[in-house]
Amino acid sequence: MSARGGGGSKALPGRRKGGVPPVNKKVVLAYSGGLDTSVAIRWLKDQGWDVIAFTVALGEKKDLDAIQARALKTGASAAYVADGRAPFLQLFVWPSLQAGAVYEKEYPLATALGRPLIAAMMVEVARREGASAIAHGCTGKGNDQVRFDVTTAALAPDLKVVAPVREWGMNRDDEIEYASRHGIEVPATVRSPYSTDENLWGRSIEAGVLEDPWAEPPADVYAWTRDPRDCPDEPTYVEIGFKQGVPVSLEGKPIDPLQLVTDLNRIGGENGVGRIDHLENRLIGIKSREIYEAPAAVLLLQAHQALEDITLPKEVARFKDLVAQQWAQMVYDGLWFSPLRDALYAFVAETQRHVTGDVRVKLFKGSSQVVGRKAPAQLYQHSLATYGKGDAFDQSAAAGFIKLWGMSVRTAAQVQGRLHDRELKGLLGDVRRLTP
Ligand code: ARG
């Protein structure tokens, strides 16, 4: 503990005797401007907290000025706004794209990737403000609380985390009532039947009629993507260029990350690409039905995979599938800031050395398909693959290889008996035999 103050008789201001660290009541709240976090400002104040609001833009549209003003009006003593889009893509999305991260084969992890960044930025603000806690508006049922809490634990274990929504036991109507009682303006989003979140990597929609997993999502769920019925009648092509697994060009022209993702969200959306209907496993064990719109993520993941298909050696490609799954789970489960990510990324980065080249994707009425790929260091060799002229493959080598490859099953069959005879009995059925 502190060695200052000599005999301890002269306690530092605000510090209790006995070396107990100062307990200031300053908290940095992740503030979206919505109902939960607006009510949270007031609720935290009532608990004696000095509330600093923090809002970060990770997506395209967010009226930061209005949110900032609203935070102050609702009772925050200071309100920060930040643009996190560049670090979001650079530090979180690109490594995950290189890893090929898709949770449970469906979800490109937009929200899951955004949370650790928001929490990390809040920790910075907390340091700057000398705050002793961070707060968020997550419920006790979801994944986001885990991501905020664990990120804080990893980056600033001394900071306390306050989660008002987990504590206050109000339902939506109670909150609206609380808001009007305290003169907190109820935001327009409250009238939506859905709960949504969005950033550059995708949009998520849950609740309302979507809670019936048998019910098809109604049209009003979607905001980024067109109904395939209303998409252009001619296909659209996009050509994406990668350098070491990171996208760097569109239609042959260099492009910065933000513009690229914005363009692909628009082009994909216009062609109905990127709609996902996922019944997923939350970390805490609840199954939930989520709709996602992620046009850029779907296109980039697909294109990146196609480039790996043509550049990665077979063994690396196969093993990398396992790593991709681990990466996705790690991100989903809130372990972005963990030793596991550093270890996995060491592998991922090594695999990306030759993942440089171009991919052509065809978009048409809700579908996207890779139709071309090329790379300077591609392992696809025409002379080995061709069935036509120029075949350089020595077919006679195959027989010996397969003899050795199958040696163990042949030996087992010879020594221990034919394992599958019983299940294959009668397989031919009433086969008909004809002779001349
Ligand atoms: N189920 C997704 C995830 O866990 C999306 C969560 C969206 N969060 C929200 N607060 N609406 O990443």
Side-chain angles (χ1 to χ4, degrees), residues 107 109-113 115 138 142-144 147 195-198 204-206 280 282 288 290 292 332:
Y107 169 40
L109 294 160
T111 297
L113 286 166
R115 297 313 189 199
C138 304
N143 300 309
D144 290 328
R147 298 163 185 157
S195 154
T196 64
D197 184 58
E198 66 180 57
S204 76
I205 312 97
E206 54 192 310
E280 75 192 32
R282 288 190 188 156
S288 98
E290 310 265 341
Y292 298 105
Y332 191 88

